[in-house]
Amino acid sequence: MLPVEIRTPRLLLDLPVPGDAEVVTRYCQDPLFEQYLTTPWPYERAHAESFLSTYVPGGWASRTDLTWALRTERGGVLLGVISVRETQNEIGFWMGSEHRGGGLMSEAAAAVCTWVLEGGVDGATTVFWRAVEGNTASAKVARSAGFRRIQPENPTVPTRDGAGTLPAWYGVREVDVDPRAEASWNDILEARA
Ligand SMILES: CC(C)(COP(=O)(O)OP(=O)(O)OC[C@H]1O[C@@H](n2cnc3c(N)ncnc32)[C@H](O)[C@@H]1OP(=O)(O)O)[C@@H](O)C(=O)NCCC(=O)NCCS
């Protein structure tokens, strides 16, 4: 599959490229990434180079992991990354720390879900989200993007080394946002006015 561009009111989502290696290396030094992501730790420039030159194009070609850069304009600096991974259409994202808090990731996540569910991914009827328990910022992005929290028995995410698991929060998004979605987060997030 060829990489697809998605536009939102404030963003262009396009292909992360080798020229983004410097900012990706810098963003991925964030201690939050050690806590909440499975990106390599410690993170070195070689990790960014291999991610951008091999993993990202390979994921698009095989349709196994579709990864976009968040930019405000074509050729602009990469602000963050969002991806959708087979086989459950699981969404994942991170934002460079200096670009957080302006609602951009929520905007990107909503647009990516719409794209996936409106034919971007053949046969997709749901998008899945999970995060390490306590990752409130990620849960707020999922809530804003129309996910409904689900509570299966013993929800987990794998640890970085894949040897164990951590307790997790789960959510699901369908093409039409479930009317119960907003309230489903009230156990873990303060309700929005
Ligand atoms: C999760 C992440 C991408 C959110 O990015 P962001 O730019 O803050 O996202 P948004 O601006 O769309 O904000 C989403 C919400 O989180 C809130 N928020 C931002 N940082 C927060 C924090 N540290 N704690 C609690 N809430 C936070 C925002 O106020 C906003 O709230 P609202 O929906 O009520 O308006 C970013 O925090 C990040 O990169 N974290 C590290 C990587 C990570 O955990 N990724 C997710 C793995 S599942």
Side-chain angles (χ1 to χ4, degrees), residues 16-29 43-53 71 77-78 94:
V17 293
D20 298 316
E22 192 177 330
V23 287
V24 169
T25 308
R26 181 160 58 78
Y27 297 149
C28 290
Q29 308 302 319
Y43 196 94
E44 292 167 7
R45 189 177 169 107
H47 293 123
E49 285 169 356
S50 119
F51 171 69
L52 295 164
S53 62
R71 309 182 203 274
V77 68
L78 178 149
W94 58 256

mmCIF file of all heavy atoms in Angstrom, residues 16-29 43-53 71 77-78 94:
data_model
loop_
_atom_site.group_PDB
_atom_site.id
_atom_site.type_symbol
_atom_site.label_atom_id
_atom_site.label_comp_id
_atom_site.label_asym_id
_atom_site.label_seq_id
_atom_site.Cartn_x
_atom_site.Cartn_y
_atom_site.Cartn_z
ATOM 1 N N PRO A 16 6.545 9.894 7.757
ATOM 2 C CA PRO A 16 7.794 10.241 8.440
ATOM 3 C C PRO A 16 8.968 9.801 7.560
ATOM 4 O O PRO A 16 8.948 8.703 7.004
ATOM 5 C CB PRO A 16 7.752 9.404 9.726
ATOM 6 C CG PRO A 16 6.334 8.911 9.835
ATOM 7 C CD PRO A 16 5.815 8.824 8.434
ATOM 8 N N VAL A 17 9.985 10.660 7.418
ATOM 9 C CA VAL A 17 11.076 10.386 6.478
ATOM 10 C C VAL A 17 12.427 10.468 7.189
ATOM 11 O O VAL A 17 12.523 11.015 8.301
ATOM 12 C CB VAL A 17 11.038 11.389 5.298
ATOM 13 C CG1 VAL A 17 9.804 11.154 4.445
ATOM 14 C CG2 VAL A 17 11.095 12.834 5.797
ATOM 15 N N PRO A 18 13.496 9.934 6.548
ATOM 16 C CA PRO A 18 14.816 9.953 7.203
ATOM 17 C C PRO A 18 15.244 11.345 7.675
ATOM 18 O O PRO A 18 15.926 11.472 8.688
ATOM 19 C CB PRO A 18 15.745 9.389 6.125
ATOM 20 C CG PRO A 18 14.858 8.438 5.362
ATOM 21 C CD PRO A 18 13.515 9.121 5.307
ATOM 22 N N GLY A 19 14.812 12.378 6.988
ATOM 23 C CA GLY A 19 15.160 13.742 7.412
ATOM 24 C C GLY A 19 14.560 14.133 8.762
ATOM 25 O O GLY A 19 14.926 15.164 9.334
ATOM 26 N N ASP A 20 13.656 13.313 9.291
ATOM 27 C CA ASP A 20 13.059 13.587 10.611
ATOM 28 C C ASP A 20 13.867 12.974 11.755
ATOM 29 O O ASP A 20 13.476 13.092 12.922
ATOM 30 C CB ASP A 20 11.626 13.018 10.671
ATOM 31 C CG ASP A 20 10.681 13.643 9.664
ATOM 32 O OD1 ASP A 20 10.716 14.881 9.530
ATOM 33 O OD2 ASP A 20 9.920 12.907 9.007
ATOM 34 N N ALA A 21 14.999 12.326 11.421
ATOM 35 C CA ALA A 21 15.725 11.537 12.439
ATOM 36 C C ALA A 21 16.158 12.384 13.630
ATOM 37 O O ALA A 21 16.098 11.929 14.779
ATOM 38 C CB ALA A 21 16.927 10.845 11.809
ATOM 39 N N GLU A 22 16.585 13.610 13.358
ATOM 40 C CA GLU A 22 17.100 14.411 14.463
ATOM 41 C C GLU A 22 16.002 14.717 15.496
ATOM 42 O O GLU A 22 16.197 14.519 16.707
ATOM 43 C CB GLU A 22 17.686 15.713 13.918
ATOM 44 C CG GLU A 22 18.491 16.430 14.966
ATOM 45 C CD GLU A 22 19.141 17.690 14.402
ATOM 46 O OE1 GLU A 22 19.451 17.710 13.194
ATOM 47 O OE2 GLU A 22 19.312 18.629 15.181
ATOM 48 N N VAL A 23 14.858 15.184 15.044
ATOM 49 C CA VAL A 23 13.805 15.516 16.029
ATOM 50 C C VAL A 23 13.252 14.254 16.675
ATOM 51 O O VAL A 23 12.960 14.239 17.870
ATOM 52 C CB VAL A 23 12.650 16.386 15.457
ATOM 53 C CG1 VAL A 23 13.083 17.808 15.235
ATOM 54 C CG2 VAL A 23 12.006 15.785 14.246
ATOM 55 N N VAL A 24 13.128 13.177 15.914
ATOM 56 C CA VAL A 24 12.611 11.933 16.510
ATOM 57 C C VAL A 24 13.559 11.476 17.622
ATOM 58 O O VAL A 24 13.128 11.114 18.718
ATOM 59 C CB VAL A 24 12.428 10.840 15.434
ATOM 60 C CG1 VAL A 24 12.163 9.483 16.079
ATOM 61 C CG2 VAL A 24 11.284 11.211 14.486
ATOM 62 N N THR A 25 14.868 11.539 17.362
ATOM 63 C CA THR A 25 15.848 11.135 18.391
ATOM 64 C C THR A 25 15.687 11.998 19.635
ATOM 65 O O THR A 25 15.686 11.499 20.758
ATOM 66 C CB THR A 25 17.283 11.287 17.845
ATOM 67 O OG1 THR A 25 17.373 10.597 16.610
ATOM 68 C CG2 THR A 25 18.303 10.732 18.826
ATOM 69 N N ARG A 26 15.504 13.276 19.421
ATOM 70 C CA ARG A 26 15.373 14.186 20.561
ATOM 71 C C ARG A 26 14.077 13.912 21.340
ATOM 72 O O ARG A 26 14.111 13.752 22.552
ATOM 73 C CB ARG A 26 15.408 15.645 20.062
ATOM 74 C CG ARG A 26 15.309 16.674 21.168
ATOM 75 C CD ARG A 26 15.833 18.022 20.723
ATOM 76 N NE ARG A 26 15.162 18.577 19.561
ATOM 77 C CZ ARG A 26 13.974 19.172 19.582
ATOM 78 N NH1 ARG A 26 13.324 19.288 20.725
ATOM 79 N NH2 ARG A 26 13.438 19.663 18.473
ATOM 80 N N TYR A 27 12.959 13.815 20.637
ATOM 81 C CA TYR A 27 11.684 13.586 21.335
ATOM 82 C C TYR A 27 11.712 12.275 22.136
ATOM 83 O O TYR A 27 11.103 12.177 23.191
ATOM 84 C CB TYR A 27 10.521 13.502 20.346
ATOM 85 C CG TYR A 27 10.214 14.739 19.519
ATOM 86 C CD1 TYR A 27 9.692 14.611 18.231
ATOM 87 C CD2 TYR A 27 10.405 16.025 20.020
ATOM 88 C CE1 TYR A 27 9.370 15.715 17.461
ATOM 89 C CE2 TYR A 27 10.089 17.144 19.244
ATOM 90 C CZ TYR A 27 9.581 16.984 17.971
ATOM 91 O OH TYR A 27 9.255 18.080 17.204
ATOM 92 N N CYS A 28 12.378 11.277 21.577
ATOM 93 C CA CYS A 28 12.313 9.944 22.191
ATOM 94 C C CYS A 28 13.230 9.789 23.408
ATOM 95 O O CYS A 28 13.335 8.701 23.972
ATOM 96 C CB CYS A 28 12.585 8.856 21.146
ATOM 97 S SG CYS A 28 11.237 8.700 19.964
ATOM 98 N N GLN A 29 13.857 10.893 23.835
ATOM 99 C CA GLN A 29 14.607 10.880 25.105
ATOM 100 C C GLN A 29 13.675 11.113 26.291
ATOM 101 O O GLN A 29 14.088 11.049 27.443
ATOM 102 C CB GLN A 29 15.687 11.987 25.131
ATOM 103 C CG GLN A 29 16.619 12.023 23.947
ATOM 104 C CD GLN A 29 17.360 10.714 23.768
ATOM 105 O OE1 GLN A 29 17.803 10.113 24.741
ATOM 106 N NE2 GLN A 29 17.462 10.263 22.528
ATOM 107 N N TYR A 43 17.273 5.602 23.965
ATOM 108 C CA TYR A 43 16.972 5.788 22.545
ATOM 109 C C TYR A 43 18.131 6.495 21.859
ATOM 110 O O TYR A 43 18.551 7.559 22.302
ATOM 111 C CB TYR A 43 15.683 6.604 22.398
ATOM 112 C CG TYR A 43 15.081 6.525 21.023
ATOM 113 C CD1 TYR A 43 14.103 5.587 20.733
ATOM 114 C CD2 TYR A 43 15.494 7.390 20.015
ATOM 115 C CE1 TYR A 43 13.531 5.499 19.470
ATOM 116 C CE2 TYR A 43 14.932 7.309 18.746
ATOM 117 C CZ TYR A 43 13.958 6.367 18.478
ATOM 118 O OH TYR A 43 13.406 6.287 17.219
ATOM 119 N N GLU A 44 18.638 5.881 20.791
ATOM 120 C CA GLU A 44 19.781 6.462 20.065
ATOM 121 C C GLU A 44 19.377 6.857 18.645
ATOM 122 O O GLU A 44 18.379 6.375 18.130
ATOM 123 C CB GLU A 44 20.914 5.444 20.025
ATOM 124 C CG GLU A 44 21.481 5.234 21.415
ATOM 125 C CD GLU A 44 22.377 4.026 21.528
ATOM 126 O OE1 GLU A 44 22.679 3.403 20.489
ATOM 127 O OE2 GLU A 44 22.753 3.708 22.670
ATOM 128 N N ARG A 45 20.213 7.690 18.038
ATOM 129 C CA ARG A 45 19.911 8.150 16.670
ATOM 130 C C ARG A 45 19.741 6.979 15.703
ATOM 131 O O ARG A 45 18.902 7.011 14.796
ATOM 132 C CB ARG A 45 21.009 9.102 16.174
ATOM 133 C CG ARG A 45 20.591 9.744 14.870
ATOM 134 C CD ARG A 45 21.581 10.749 14.361
ATOM 135 N NE ARG A 45 21.221 11.090 13.006
ATOM 136 C CZ ARG A 45 20.683 12.239 12.614
ATOM 137 N NH1 ARG A 45 20.487 13.204 13.483
ATOM 138 N NH2 ARG A 45 20.358 12.451 11.358
ATOM 139 N N ALA A 46 20.520 5.920 15.890
ATOM 140 C CA ALA A 46 20.406 4.751 15.008
ATOM 141 C C ALA A 46 18.998 4.147 15.071
ATOM 142 O O ALA A 46 18.512 3.582 14.083
ATOM 143 C CB ALA A 46 21.454 3.701 15.386
ATOM 144 N N HIS A 47 18.352 4.233 16.247
ATOM 145 C CA HIS A 47 16.975 3.728 16.346
ATOM 146 C C HIS A 47 16.048 4.547 15.452
ATOM 147 O O HIS A 47 15.195 3.999 14.759
ATOM 148 C CB HIS A 47 16.489 3.810 17.801
ATOM 149 C CG HIS A 47 17.211 2.900 18.741
ATOM 150 N ND1 HIS A 47 17.866 3.339 19.857
ATOM 151 C CD2 HIS A 47 17.388 1.563 18.709
ATOM 152 C CE1 HIS A 47 18.408 2.313 20.491
ATOM 153 N NE2 HIS A 47 18.134 1.219 19.816
ATOM 154 N N ALA A 48 16.224 5.867 15.480
ATOM 155 C CA ALA A 48 15.378 6.738 14.650
ATOM 156 C C ALA A 48 15.653 6.473 13.170
ATOM 157 O O ALA A 48 14.724 6.412 12.352
ATOM 158 C CB ALA A 48 15.650 8.197 14.994
ATOM 159 N N GLU A 49 16.926 6.326 12.819
ATOM 160 C CA GLU A 49 17.273 6.112 11.401
ATOM 161 C C GLU A 49 16.653 4.821 10.901
ATOM 162 O O GLU A 49 16.090 4.768 9.799
ATOM 163 C CB GLU A 49 18.796 6.115 11.237
ATOM 164 C CG GLU A 49 19.342 7.540 11.330
ATOM 165 C CD GLU A 49 20.857 7.618 11.445
ATOM 166 O OE1 GLU A 49 21.510 6.555 11.537
ATOM 167 O OE2 GLU A 49 21.369 8.758 11.464
ATOM 168 N N SER A 50 16.738 3.750 11.700
ATOM 169 C CA SER A 50 16.184 2.490 11.214
ATOM 170 C C SER A 50 14.645 2.536 11.210
ATOM 171 O O SER A 50 13.995 2.015 10.294
ATOM 172 C CB SER A 50 16.777 1.333 12.019
ATOM 173 O OG SER A 50 15.835 0.623 12.687
ATOM 174 N N PHE A 51 14.053 3.213 12.188
ATOM 175 C CA PHE A 51 12.591 3.385 12.208
ATOM 176 C C PHE A 51 12.123 4.095 10.934
ATOM 177 O O PHE A 51 11.184 3.653 10.258
ATOM 178 C CB PHE A 51 12.213 4.187 13.464
ATOM 179 C CG PHE A 51 10.785 4.637 13.543
ATOM 180 C CD1 PHE A 51 9.751 3.724 13.721
ATOM 181 C CD2 PHE A 51 10.463 6.002 13.477
ATOM 182 C CE1 PHE A 51 8.422 4.157 13.811
ATOM 183 C CE2 PHE A 51 9.140 6.434 13.574
ATOM 184 C CZ PHE A 51 8.119 5.513 13.729
ATOM 185 N N LEU A 52 12.820 5.195 10.580
ATOM 186 C CA LEU A 52 12.361 6.041 9.476
ATOM 187 C C LEU A 52 12.698 5.467 8.108
ATOM 188 O O LEU A 52 11.918 5.623 7.157
ATOM 189 C CB LEU A 52 12.965 7.439 9.623
ATOM 190 C CG LEU A 52 12.482 8.192 10.872
ATOM 191 C CD1 LEU A 52 13.391 9.380 11.181
ATOM 192 C CD2 LEU A 52 11.034 8.652 10.707
ATOM 193 N N SER A 53 13.857 4.806 8.001
ATOM 194 C CA SER A 53 14.255 4.350 6.661
ATOM 195 C C SER A 53 13.765 2.937 6.362
ATOM 196 O O SER A 53 13.592 2.575 5.194
ATOM 197 C CB SER A 53 15.770 4.437 6.487
ATOM 198 O OG SER A 53 16.374 3.581 7.413
ATOM 199 N N ARG A 71 2.422 17.147 11.054
ATOM 200 C CA ARG A 71 3.093 18.408 10.690
ATOM 201 C C ARG A 71 2.013 19.462 10.489
ATOM 202 O O ARG A 71 0.866 19.130 10.166
ATOM 203 C CB ARG A 71 3.877 18.276 9.375
ATOM 204 C CG ARG A 71 4.832 17.102 9.301
ATOM 205 C CD ARG A 71 5.596 17.111 7.959
ATOM 206 N NE ARG A 71 6.087 15.763 7.648
ATOM 207 C CZ ARG A 71 7.238 15.267 8.096
ATOM 208 N NH1 ARG A 71 8.023 15.994 8.848
ATOM 209 N NH2 ARG A 71 7.616 14.045 7.784
ATOM 210 N N VAL A 77 8.243 20.761 10.313
ATOM 211 C CA VAL A 77 8.880 19.906 11.310
ATOM 212 C C VAL A 77 7.900 18.834 11.791
ATOM 213 O O VAL A 77 6.688 19.081 11.890
ATOM 214 C CB VAL A 77 9.413 20.773 12.482
ATOM 215 C CG1 VAL A 77 8.280 21.397 13.281
ATOM 216 C CG2 VAL A 77 10.322 19.986 13.389
ATOM 217 N N LEU A 78 8.416 17.640 12.053
ATOM 218 C CA LEU A 78 7.596 16.567 12.611
ATOM 219 C C LEU A 78 7.309 16.910 14.077
ATOM 220 O O LEU A 78 8.239 17.190 14.846
ATOM 221 C CB LEU A 78 8.345 15.237 12.484
ATOM 222 C CG LEU A 78 7.698 13.980 13.054
ATOM 223 C CD1 LEU A 78 8.105 12.746 12.228
ATOM 224 C CD2 LEU A 78 8.050 13.754 14.523
ATOM 225 N N TRP A 94 2.471 9.325 19.805
ATOM 226 C CA TRP A 94 3.252 10.138 20.746
ATOM 227 C C TRP A 94 3.482 11.503 20.127
ATOM 228 O O TRP A 94 3.457 11.664 18.913
ATOM 229 C CB TRP A 94 4.569 9.467 21.149
ATOM 230 C CG TRP A 94 5.538 9.114 20.052
ATOM 231 C CD1 TRP A 94 5.766 7.870 19.560
ATOM 232 C CD2 TRP A 94 6.442 9.998 19.354
ATOM 233 N NE1 TRP A 94 6.732 7.909 18.584
ATOM 234 C CE2 TRP A 94 7.162 9.209 18.447
ATOM 235 C CE3 TRP A 94 6.702 11.370 19.411
ATOM 236 C CZ2 TRP A 94 8.128 9.745 17.584
ATOM 237 C CZ3 TRP A 94 7.660 11.904 18.557
ATOM 238 C CH2 TRP A 94 8.362 11.088 17.661
#
